[in-house]
Structures are given as C-alpha cells and as structure tokens.
Amino acid sequence: MSSGNQNAGKKGYSGTAVFTPHTPLSVTYNGMDIEEHSHEGRMITLDMGNYYLVNVYTPNAKDGLLRIDYRMQWETDIREYLMKLDKEKPVIYCGDLNVAHNEIDLKNPKANRGNAGFSDQERGKISELLSSGFVDTFRYLHPDETGRYSWWSYRFNARKNNAGWRIDYFIVSDRIKDKVTRADILSDIYGSDHCPVVLEIDI
C-alpha cells in the first residue's frame, strides 16, 4: 500500500494524507506551487495514470470571517489549478472543503447565513468551481436528499440531533460523472466530528 501525508508548519493545525493500494505515477505536495499556500499541509495531488486525485483540507474562514480574504484567494487558485489538471486528464477532487453549498446541505441555514462555511462568498466560490466543468457527486446522485451531513459540532448534542453540515465532498470532472456508481455519507461511523464520505467510480 502506498501512502503520502503532508504536515502543517504549525503542529496540530492541519494536514492531509492519502492511503492507496495503487502506486501513483507521482505525488505532489502543495501542488499549486504557490508560496502562500505551502506551509499548512493542505493539499496532495496524485497522478494515478488515467486521472488525478487531489486531496485537500480547505482553509476555514474563521469566526467573523477573519480569514475570508485568504480563503477567497485559495478558492481562486485551487479552481485554476484544477482546471489546468483537467486539461490533461480527469480530476477527482476530495476532502473537507469547509463549505455547505446550498441550504439543503445544513440543518439550520437561516441561522448560519453569513457564518464561516455558509457565507455568500464561500458558497459563490463552490458554485464557480462547479460551473467550470466539475460535478458534486453526492448531489449528482442524490439531488433532493435532505438530512445528509458529514460534520457535526461537538456542542449542543448536534450529532444526536443531526444538526449537521455537508462539508466533505468528492467532486469530479464533468466528463466522468456518468462513471460514478456510488456517492454516499457514512453517518453511522463515529470517531470524529466528521464521518467518512464515499465515492465509487468505474474509471
């Protein structure tokens, strides 16, 4: 089994990892090659031969949107990077994207409007990505399904009450969306404030 991990410069702050039984042709850390994004261990790109796998942990905009400017720059740069890869071969983009795209993607949209993870700016950026030739696989297969979340606060019995957010995604190049056979959220698996999300694709 091959594996790769990217640590953050600030211990315990962030990081990403990929474990795979398939040996990638290459592994790139912080593959956007932009200095501003190179210290938080937020990105791994694997060239799997007939597709790219890009695993990320998207920066949080923070309470009061204190980090929204950086978040917006990240979103612009990652979109351009994914579009560049997509010109070579299809892309599977996954991870904690730290945004609930639409009201259906969180339990309390009205109360959270404008908060980090559900600001108009962040939602607009994921809309921009999806309009650039990419597909949210869960919504592709489950367009109207409600109450399906991948993250719950540790406060207020949020998980017990299923007061969650869908912020973990598998997004793929539009031209391979028809190869997706399953996109699921395993909310019955505990051990974190997140739960696993699943993509099965015949590629």
Side-chain angles (χ1 to χ4, degrees), residues 170-181:
F170 276 100
I171 290 174
V172 303
S173 298
D174 184 77
R175 65 186 181 278
I176 59 171
K177 67 183 181 183
D178 292 339
K179 297 182 181 296
V180 174
T181 59

Side-chain angles (χ1 to χ4, degrees), residues 17-171:
V18 174
F19 298 87
T20 172
H22 308 290
T23 303
L25 298 182
S26 65
V27 180
T28 305
Y29 301 103
N30 291 309
M32 287 189 281
D33 197 26
I34 296 173
E35 177 65 21
E36 186 178 13
H37 305 315
S38 65
H39 303 293
E40 296 186 7
R42 293 189 176 276
M43 182 174 178
I44 303 175
T45 301
L46 288 79
D47 183 344
M48 301 303 294
N50 57 342
Y51 66 94
Y52 286 108
L53 175 68
V54 180
N55 179 36
V56 303
Y57 178 16
T58 299
N60 192 302
K62 300 295 185 184
D63 290 344
L65 302 183
L66 293 176
R67 213 181 187 203
I68 193 66
D69 290 343
Y70 176 64
R71 172 65 179 268
M72 293 297 97
Q73 188 59 55
W74 166 278
E75 295 288 358
T76 295
D77 293 339
I78 192 71
R79 174 177 167 270
E80 291 177 358
Y81 177 70
L82 294 172
M83 291 176 67
K84 179 181 177 181
L85 293 181
D86 189 48
K87 290 179 179 178
E88 299 179 24
K89 61 185 77 173
V91 174
I92 298 174
Y93 173 51
C94 63
D96 177 355
L97 302 192
N98 259 319
V99 61
H101 186 206
N102 292 310
E103 290 192 354
I104 195 174
D105 295 315
L106 72 167
K107 180 66 175 288
N108 297 306
K110 290 182 173 58
N112 284 290
R113 176 75 182 272
N115 290 340
F118 200 59
S119 68
D120 292 347
Q121 300 97 309
E122 293 162 298
R123 296 171 66 197
K125 283 295 188 180
I126 195 169
S127 292
E128 188 177 352
L129 174 64
L130 295 176
S131 69
S132 300
F134 298 93
V135 173
D136 173 354
T137 59
F138 183 79
R139 282 290 166 229
Y140 175 64
L141 293 186
H142 311 278
D144 303 312
E145 197 164 338
T146 60
R148 301 297 303 279
Y149 310 123
S150 65
W151 175 83
W152 301 261
S153 171
Y154 282 127
R155 298 180 293 175
F156 311 121
N157 292 313
R159 189 150 188 179
K160 180 180 178 181
N161 298 321
N162 198 29
W165 300 51
R166 189 176 72 91
I167 61 175
D168 301 274
Y169 295 76
F170 276 100
I171 290 174

